[in-house]
């Protein structure tokens, strides 16, 4: 495992990994650990690193001999690593969702999954069963005294931030209706309008789709009586067409949504032949749109949204957005098409060569002219990109992201890249050939003034050990600071967050 600068990473002609190593991460998590002390096997945990790394992702992929059709259908399991005084403590817990509890008891699949998992018995057994299993597996964030396990199609589950014990479904003090969609991609405004806030949304889809945009306080403010978790602002806006919105971006004035040109034909889902997400398809000749909703407290508060034609391609995740004069700049990971795993494919033997890779692109939206210009920022397959959280919604110089080991082409994510968005200079830390990275989280050093002063925390699947390592990198140099070998095997996961002590 090494860090390299721009010129030291040779381009590789073919994949340098063993598929069995990659696939060995798809397994059930069989233990729940409770505050196990963890020491570094290499390097040392920085004493200034004080807080908790929370990660969410599928922890149960097989039940009663039946595998999920797609890992995204796996039940949410939270991993928490608490750091302080140069030491670390590990805990993990499944989210006790209604579906997980029922299936634990029955030891068989009782629910269909959105990404194609079906109940045993074929289409006859699955047709017209349109219940959603809220699997709480996508993201985990701290809001007030709650830890929220998020899944975008329904309300969050509230957990105890210390013990990870599930408190139950949360309607956020009656704010959400039963089953109401609540995004798994909140954005944390570092203080564009005086106080930090969690900005998030829920989307109700149909021939017209409605976005509910919500802003929550994330700190107590005794002067105003506002408490962490209080709703500060909300608004609802409706748009033409079926909306598939996984992520969004914020700037001080705007919440930026990218409505991909995608069509949804629910018939195979209703008839028990496909999962709902397998019924999403790129719409040939369709027009993607940027929907820009004015934020409360901004210069356009209360005004109608702006709608601008967007370039072709499919986006799950954005890196960041910011404003420059009358332009809004959005950086996103673009796929040439919507990637999905068909009903007859096994996700463990998926052919990466046939799937589109994610590429980082910058779109400059000129609001006065209603036009967009696009620039490719990198040719290397990437996912899970972020800027320093203090630069969220603002111009940022550096980005950290998970990338493939080779320079071009689609492969599993095996390395972490730091990209200088001004100069194009990059540094890479690689876990190849036997390691596979998850989403990197950049944690600023307390009191830091430089944008890249801090650490990058990343859970790595170690194929040699068939278990997970937590790697701490120097955010500026991407040199290894510490490696912690966890007594836990965490399958390839989704999103996580850092809660400072
Ligand atoms: Fe996501």
């Amino acid at each position: 495992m090494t860090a390299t600068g721009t010129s030291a990473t040779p381009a590789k002609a073919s994949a340098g990994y063993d598929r069995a190593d990659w696939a060995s991460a798809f397994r059930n998590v069989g233990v729940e650990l409770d505050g196990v002390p963890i020491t570094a096997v290499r390097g040392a945990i920085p004493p200034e690193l004080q807080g908790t790394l929370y990660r969410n992702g599928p922890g149960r992929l097989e039940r009663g001999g039946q595998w999920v059709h797609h890992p995204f259908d796996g039940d949410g399991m939270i991993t928490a690593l608490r750091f302080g005084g140069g030491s670390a403590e590990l805990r993990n817990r499944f989210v006790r969702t209604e579906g997980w509890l029922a299936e634990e008891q029955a030891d068989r699949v009782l629910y269909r999954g959105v990404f194609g998992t079906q109940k045993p018995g074929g289409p006859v057994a699955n047709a017209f069963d349109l219940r959603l299993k809220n699997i709480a597996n996508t993201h985990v964030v701290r809001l007030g005294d709650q830890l929220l396990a998020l899944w975008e199609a329904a309300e969050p589950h509230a957990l105890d931030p210390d013990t990870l014990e599930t408190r139950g479904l949360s309607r956020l003090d009656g704010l959400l209706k039963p089953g109401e969609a609540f995004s798994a991609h909140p954005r944390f405004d570092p203080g564009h309008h005086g106080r930090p806030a969690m900005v998030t949304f829920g989307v109700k889809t149909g021939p017209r789709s409605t976005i509910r945009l919500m802003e929550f306080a994330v700190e107590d403010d005794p002067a105003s009586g506002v408490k962490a978790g209080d709703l500060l602002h909300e608004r609802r806006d409706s748009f033409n067409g079926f909306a598939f919105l996984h992520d969004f971006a914020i700037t001080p004035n705007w919440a930026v949504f990218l409505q991909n040109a995608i069509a949804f034909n629910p018939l195979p889902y209703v008839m028990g032949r496909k999962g709902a997400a397998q019924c999403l398809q790129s719409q040939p000749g369709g027009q993607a749109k940027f929907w820009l909703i004015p934020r409360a407290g901004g210069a356009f508060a209360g005004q109608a949204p702006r709608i601008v034609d967007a370039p072709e391609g499919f986006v799950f995740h954005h890196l960041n957005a910011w404003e420059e004069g009358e332009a809004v700049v959005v950086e996103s990971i673009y796929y040439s098409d919507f990637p999905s795993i068909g009903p007859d494919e096994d996700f463990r033997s998926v052919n990466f060569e046939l799937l589109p890779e994610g590429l980082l692109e910058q779109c400059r939206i000129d609001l006065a002219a209603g036009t967009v210009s696009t620039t490719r920022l990198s040719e290397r397959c990437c996912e899970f990109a972020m800027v320093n959280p203090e630069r969220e919604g603002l111009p940022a110089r550096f980005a950290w992201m998970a990338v493939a080991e080779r320079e071009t082409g689609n492969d599993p994510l095996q390395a972490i890249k730091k990209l200088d968005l001004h100069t194009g200079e990059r540094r890479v830390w690689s876990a190849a050939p036997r390691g596979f990275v998850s989403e990197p989280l950049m944690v600023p050093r307390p009191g830091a003034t430089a944008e890249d002063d801090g650490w990058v925390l990343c859970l790595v699947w170690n194929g040699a050990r068939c278990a997970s390592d937590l790697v701490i990198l120097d955010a500026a140099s991407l040199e290894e600071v510490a490696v912690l070998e966890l007594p836990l095997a965490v399958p390839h996961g989704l999103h996580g967050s850092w809660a400072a002590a």
Side-chain angles (χ1 to χ4, degrees):
M1 299 188 187
T2 49
T4 56
T6 303
S7 58
T9 309
K12 284 192 182 173
S14 60
Y17 67 94
D18 183 335
R19 175 178 289 270
D21 279 338
W22 170 75
S24 67
F26 295 116
R27 56 175 62 207
N28 289 339
V29 176
V31 290
E32 292 188 316
L33 303 175
D34 205 9
V36 175
I38 306 290
T39 51
V41 292
R42 287 202 299 281
I45 299 166
E48 301 155 277
L49 186 63
Q50 306 223 31
T52 305
L53 170 71
Y54 294 109
R55 297 218 53 90
N56 198 352
R60 179 95 203 192
L61 297 166
E62 173 275 334
R63 190 176 289 286
Q66 183 187 346
W67 282 80
V68 292
H69 184 72
H70 191 297
F72 293 177
D73 281 340
D75 298 280
M77 189 214 61
I78 310 297
T79 305
L81 265 161
R82 183 186 298 178
F83 294 94
S87 62
E89 196 183 84
L90 174 66
R91 184 172 269 109
N92 74 299
R93 280 285 180 287
F94 277 92
V95 184
R96 267 59 177 169
T97 66
E98 191 186 330
W100 183 85
L101 288 166
E103 291 186 340
E104 277 291 290
Q105 197 161 27
D107 197 29
R108 62 191 169 90
V109 174
L110 301 174
Y111 289 83
R112 304 174 72 187
V114 168
F115 288 87
T117 305
Q118 304 281 35
K119 295 183 293 182
V124 172
N126 287 275
F128 306 109
D129 180 356
L130 307 184
R131 295 172 302 157
L132 285 174
K133 181 187 178 193
N134 182 342
I135 50 178
N137 72 353
T138 313
H139 200 348
V140 56
V141 296
R142 183 83 191 250
L143 183 65
D145 65 354
Q146 312 259 55
L147 189 66
L148 299 179
L150 301 172
W151 185 67
E152 67 192 20
E155 62 268 67
H157 283 79
L159 316 177
D160 183 298
D162 297 321
T163 65
L164 304 183
E165 179 195 337
T166 303
R167 292 174 178 164
L169 274 180
S170 172
R171 307 225 158 94
L172 302 175
D173 292 327
L175 187 72
L176 303 177
K177 288 195 206 126
E180 183 173 338
F182 190 74
S183 167
H185 269 283
R187 292 278 172 179
F188 288 86
D189 167 351
H192 302 159
H193 302 294
R195 72 167 95 224
M198 181 178 100
V199 188
T200 191
F201 68 97
V203 58
K204 190 164 183 267
T205 57
R208 263 176 88 71
S209 298
T210 302
I211 296 175
R212 183 183 187 187
L213 185 67
M214 293 164 270
E215 305 211 6
F216 295 88
V218 295
E219 289 176 356
D220 291 340
D221 178 13
S224 63
V226 168
K227 288 203 155 33
D230 285 357
L231 182 72
L232 299 170
H233 308 284
E234 68 166 319
R235 61 177 282 169
R236 284 183 169 87
D237 295 276
S238 294
F239 301 86
N240 282 329
F242 170 83
F244 175 71
L245 302 169
H246 176 64
D247 192 9
F248 78 131
I250 56 167
T251 70
N253 287 314
W254 303 101
V256 183
F257 294 86
L258 174 52
Q259 161 60 358
N260 295 294
I262 215 140
F264 179 61
N265 167 18
L267 197 62
Y269 166 54
V270 174
M271 298 312 292
R273 296 182 186 281
K274 285 184 174 182
Q278 291 173 306
C279 299
L280 294 169
Q281 217 175 14
S282 285
Q283 213 177 359
Q287 177 62 59
K289 301 276 186 188
F290 282 114
W291 294 338
L292 291 96
I293 300 178
R295 285 184 60 197
F300 311 101
Q303 294 185 15
R306 313 286 170 85
I307 301 175
V308 180
D309 286 355
E312 272 186 37
F314 184 86
V315 170
F316 283 111
H317 296 131
H318 304 287
L319 164 64
N320 193 27
W322 77 91
E323 298 170 40
E324 201 172 70
E326 290 222 50
V328 175
V329 182
V330 191
E331 287 159 345
S332 315
I333 298 165
Y334 270 85
Y335 295 84
S336 60
D337 199 357
F338 175 67
S340 81
I341 295 175
D344 301 323
E345 286 177 81
D346 179 341
F347 69 87
R348 287 162 296 180
S349 53
V350 67
N351 185 346
F352 282 91
E353 296 288 343
L354 298 182
L355 287 176
E357 71 263 43
L359 297 170
L360 190 62
E361 299 199 354
Q362 185 187 78
C363 288
R364 182 173 294 264
I365 307 167
D366 184 328
L367 286 177
T371 56
V372 177
S373 59
T374 303
T375 311
R376 174 82 48 88
L377 296 178
S378 168
E379 297 295 333
R380 190 155 174 170
C381 170
C382 70
E383 249 305 344
F384 301 131
M386 76 177 292
V387 296
N388 180 315
E390 296 297 322
R391 307 304 301 167
E392 180 88 48
L394 305 170
R397 176 156 182 186
F398 300 110
W400 293 265
M401 64 202 77
V403 295
E405 170 67 3
R406 59 180 167 143
E407 293 281 347
T408 56
N410 194 23
D411 267 343
L413 303 168
Q414 293 195 278
I416 303 297
K417 182 167 88 167
K418 176 197 182 198
L419 178 64
D420 183 327
L421 296 161
H422 291 179
T423 66
E425 188 198 343
R426 60 216 154 85
R427 296 196 69 82
V428 173
W429 173 89
S430 175
R434 303 206 68 182
F436 298 84
V437 303
S438 59
E439 173 192 65
L441 284 181
M442 192 275 172
V443 178
R445 189 187 307 276
T449 50
E451 193 184 312
D452 58 354
D453 186 5
W455 307 276
V456 172
L457 307 185
C458 185
L459 209 55
V460 175
W461 177 256
N462 184 332
R465 232 167 43 80
C466 276
S468 301
D469 298 341
L470 190 280
V471 176
I472 304 173
L473 306 176
D474 181 289
S477 67
L478 286 199
E479 296 290 343
E480 236 173 61
V481 173
V483 176
L484 286 61
E485 291 186 348
L486 309 185
L488 188 63
V490 183
H492 300 301
L494 294 166
H495 302 291
S497 61
W498 172 256

